[in-house]
Amino acid sequence: AFPLLLVGGLLIWKRPALVERQKKITKDLGRFRQDSQWHTPRALLFTVLQRLPGSLFILAAGLWLTYCGLLSPKLIFQITLNLALGYLVFSVYLAVMRPGGIAETHFRMPKAELQAKRTSMRYLWVPLLPLIMLSTKAVVEPSSLGNDVVGQALTLALLGLAAYLVFPISRARIKGEASMQQSITAIALALAPVALIVLVGLGYYYTALKLTGRLIESFYLIIIWSLVYRTALRGLELAARRLAYRRAVAKREHKAQEDAEGGESIEEQPMDLEDVSQQSLRLTRTVLLLVFGVAFYWLWSDLVAVFSYLDSMVLWHRTEGTGANAVLFPISLSDVLIGFLLLGGAWSLARNLPGLLEVLVLSKLNLAQGTAYAITTMLNYVLIGVGSLTALSMMGVQWDKLQWVAGGLSVGIGFGMKEILSNFVSGIIILFERPVRIGDTVTIGSFSGTVSRIRIRATTLTDFDRKEVIIPNQQLMTERLINWSLSDTVTRVIVRVGVAYGSDLELTRTLLKQAADDNSRVLKDPAPIVYFLTFGPSTLDHELRFFVSELGDRNPAVDELNRKIDQLFRENGIEIAFNQMDVYIKNMKDEEQKVESDSAQPPALPGAQPV
């Protein structure tokens, strides 16, 4: 007992320091740069350390009383252990629910609701303390319950008081905005003491005490579940806020760059924040339900016989080996149910894991464009594949016995599913090789647009008219495809200008070069080049070739350069030529007259026919 007293005294001595550290954590809440997902777990740990001395002192007292001779040492030690556990859980919960505590500062629960819960839980400890002692005695020494009339009367009174105290809590939970799961839990808590009273009245005293102990331990689990769940919710909320802040900063920088350059640049479209939050919340709730479901099953396993009954319901047998070495393994109803649960769990993970990865992992990594999408997509395929194989194995499916099915599927794939399988394999290659990524601007055939989704069968392009074009994955791998932004977004642009015959060619070259050099979108390296290439029918054709850094700069650069070239040519007397034609008017006597460009109306010829 002395080490327990020593540790308890040390924690009491350090309690002011723990309180100060907890206050410091509370001050950091709501501050974006100081707040952290670990603040709530650390605050809960400090609360547990502050309440731990009481449990240690109860254990020390129990060790002293173990050999006093009043009761059996095993009974006293077990009662002491259960009382210490109950004190720790209830004291931590009441500390969390106190005014200004973790529930108010971290979980942001309303003060009225906290006060009601704290009051009810504080008085609920009164009947639960002796019930813990009675249920422990029933487990350790069940033979002493035969003529325990006083114990039965005391149990009835305590269960009645517990039902009276639990009923307001359950009624408030049902009337509030509670989910179906929370409402069912509240109703079960309200009816549990009443059911135990009925059992004691019918003479099942030992059963009632046994169930009382398990219900109290289940109540502990529900309290721990509530704390863990709210801690996870706060962590996800903070992570979602940080992700929204990063996206807002990135969008602001992208907008500033776009305004500075005067054009449109490519930006990868991330998952919607609402979808991320919903997926993260669903997956977190599913995982916590699974973990606490296992804990509840372990707690009630010796009282639940339904699974042993399901094991006896053999549906079919699985044969392993051949000939004399063949062994039959039964496949029961429980195996099939577990297989379906595994399949449902894999599907739920594959459906909701991308959002949780986006919030907790991928948003903190500096990944290349499209990498996060490829990771989550491949992880979905792996989860669904492994879950399906494991579930089918639990159901007794033997792959070596399905060779004829594989042969039939091979023929079917060869004829009817060739394109589907080819598209699927092409999609896998695209995700690994990454010739096309989410956010890339591509041209395939006559279609151009930005890649918005890569699915199992096809890839979706969003063209520049905001229409979605579905391209089978096989076409992306087999046809000629232009990816404008795969490894480098620098592209060349050509502006063609035709000047009139007789123009000053050197001045034309100088003015075109000047227009390109003065434009901020045109790269200086490689430098723009001007070529005089063709003597056209009516023009002297020149080409201005230059490079831009982003795809979004192509059209704006052409627009700005055309306007600048027109201005410079007008100022320097360079004529931009157009197609010219000589028109002759001929009469019936084979007399003809050329239409002059400077005449308002051509002269009339005798007998000329109207044109």
Side-chain angles (χ1 to χ4, degrees), residues 155-165 193 197:
T155 301
L156 288 173
L158 293 173
L159 288 175
L161 180 59
Y164 173 76
L165 294 175
I197 292 173

Side-chain angles (χ1 to χ4, degrees), residues 38-230:
W38 292 102
H39 277 4
T40 302
R42 288 169 55 196
L44 287 173
L45 176 61
F46 294 152
T47 302
V48 171
L49 293 177
Q50 294 175 35
R51 302 301 170 182
L52 191 58
S55 297
L56 296 178
F57 293 157
I58 292 175
L59 285 176
L63 290 174
W64 279 338
L65 294 175
T66 298
Y67 298 100
C68 66
L70 296 177
L71 297 172
S72 66
K74 182 178 180 180
L75 178 60
I76 293 181
F77 178 76
Q78 196 65 37
I79 289 176
T80 304
L81 189 62
N82 291 340
L83 287 177
L85 177 62
Y87 173 81
L88 180 63
V89 173
F90 273 89
S91 61
V92 168
Y93 189 78
L94 291 176
V96 169
M97 293 295 172
R98 66 178 175 81
I102 295 177
E104 181 179 345
T105 57
H106 291 251
F107 303 152
R108 293 182 296 186
M109 297 177 64
K111 292 184 178 181
E113 180 182 355
L114 291 176
Q115 184 63 33
K117 288 185 176 181
R118 180 177 171 84
T119 302
S120 302
M121 293 291 290
R122 182 173 55 194
Y123 292 117
L124 188 60
W125 172 258
V126 176
L128 290 185
L129 178 64
L131 282 175
I132 291 174
M133 301 174 66
L134 290 172
S135 62
T136 304
K137 181 181 179 183
V139 174
V140 178
E141 297 180 353
S143 59
S144 62
L145 302 178
N147 299 319
D148 190 7
V149 180
V150 176
Q152 294 183 26
L154 182 60
T155 301
L156 288 173
L158 293 173
L159 288 175
L161 180 59
Y164 173 76
L165 294 175
V166 168
F167 180 74
I169 302 176
S170 301
R171 182 178 61 182
R173 175 61 60 89
I174 295 173
K175 286 185 176 180
E177 296 180 357
S179 62
M180 180 65 68
Q181 173 191 346
Q182 294 174 341
S183 300
I184 293 175
T185 303
I187 294 173
L189 287 176
L191 295 179
V194 179
L196 294 175
I197 292 173
V198 174
L199 285 176
V200 175
L202 294 176
Y204 298 99
Y205 181 44
Y206 170 76
T207 302
L209 289 179
K210 182 84 171 178
L211 292 176
T212 299
R214 295 305 168 86
L215 286 174
I216 293 175
E217 293 171 354
S218 300
F219 193 55
Y220 297 163
L221 278 180
I222 292 175
I223 292 177
I224 297 174
W225 153 267
S226 177
L227 296 178
V228 172
Y229 180 66
R230 291 186 178 276

Side-chain angles (χ1 to χ4, degrees), residues 297-464:
Y297 176 74
W298 174 78
L299 183 62
W300 292 86
S301 58
D302 58 340
L303 300 178
V304 179
V306 63
F307 280 97
S308 61
Y309 174 71
L310 294 177
D311 287 333
S312 63
M313 299 178 62
V314 178
L315 302 180
W316 57 79
H317 290 81
R318 175 167 56 92
T319 305
E320 290 190 2
T322 58
N325 296 325
V327 179
L328 291 176
F329 290 93
I331 303 299
S332 62
L333 181 58
S334 63
D335 295 329
V336 176
L337 293 177
I338 293 175
F340 279 112
L341 287 176
L342 289 175
L343 188 61
W347 179 82
S348 178
L349 284 176
R351 182 176 172 223
N352 300 311
L353 193 59
L356 190 64
L357 285 177
E358 179 79 16
V359 170
L360 299 181
V361 180
L362 300 179
S363 63
K364 300 179 181 179
L365 302 178
N366 187 16
L367 299 177
Q369 187 177 14
T371 303
Y373 182 85
I375 291 175
T376 55
T377 303
M378 292 306 304
L379 190 57
N380 285 349
Y381 294 163
V382 171
L383 286 173
I384 293 177
V386 172
S388 301
L389 292 177
T390 305
L392 293 175
S393 299
M394 290 293 300
M395 297 177 189
V397 175
Q398 295 175 272
W399 302 106
D400 56 348
K401 302 296 184 182
L402 298 179
Q403 296 178 1
W404 61 274
V405 178
L409 287 177
S410 300
V411 176
I413 290 173
F415 288 98
M417 300 180 62
K418 176 182 177 182
E419 297 296 331
I420 296 177
L421 182 62
S422 177
N423 288 325
F424 174 75
V425 175
S426 299
I428 299 296
I429 295 175
I430 290 172
L431 289 174
F432 273 107
E433 188 179 330
R434 299 176 65 207
V436 175
R437 305 162 302 182
I438 299 295
D440 283 351
T441 299
V442 300
T443 298
I444 177 170
S446 60
F447 299 104
S448 297
T450 303
V451 179
S452 57
R453 284 190 298 273
I454 301 176
R455 300 301 186 194
I456 294 177
R457 189 192 65 84
T459 296
T460 303
L461 301 183
T462 302
D463 67 6
F464 303 112

Side-chain angles (χ1 to χ4, degrees), residues 456-476:
I456 294 177
R457 189 192 65 84
T459 296
T460 303
L461 301 183
T462 302
D463 67 6
F464 303 112
D465 295 329
R466 307 300 296 173
K467 298 192 300 290
E468 292 187 337
V469 182
I470 310 299
I471 307 293
N473 291 330
Q474 184 182 6
Q475 293 186 16
L476 298 178

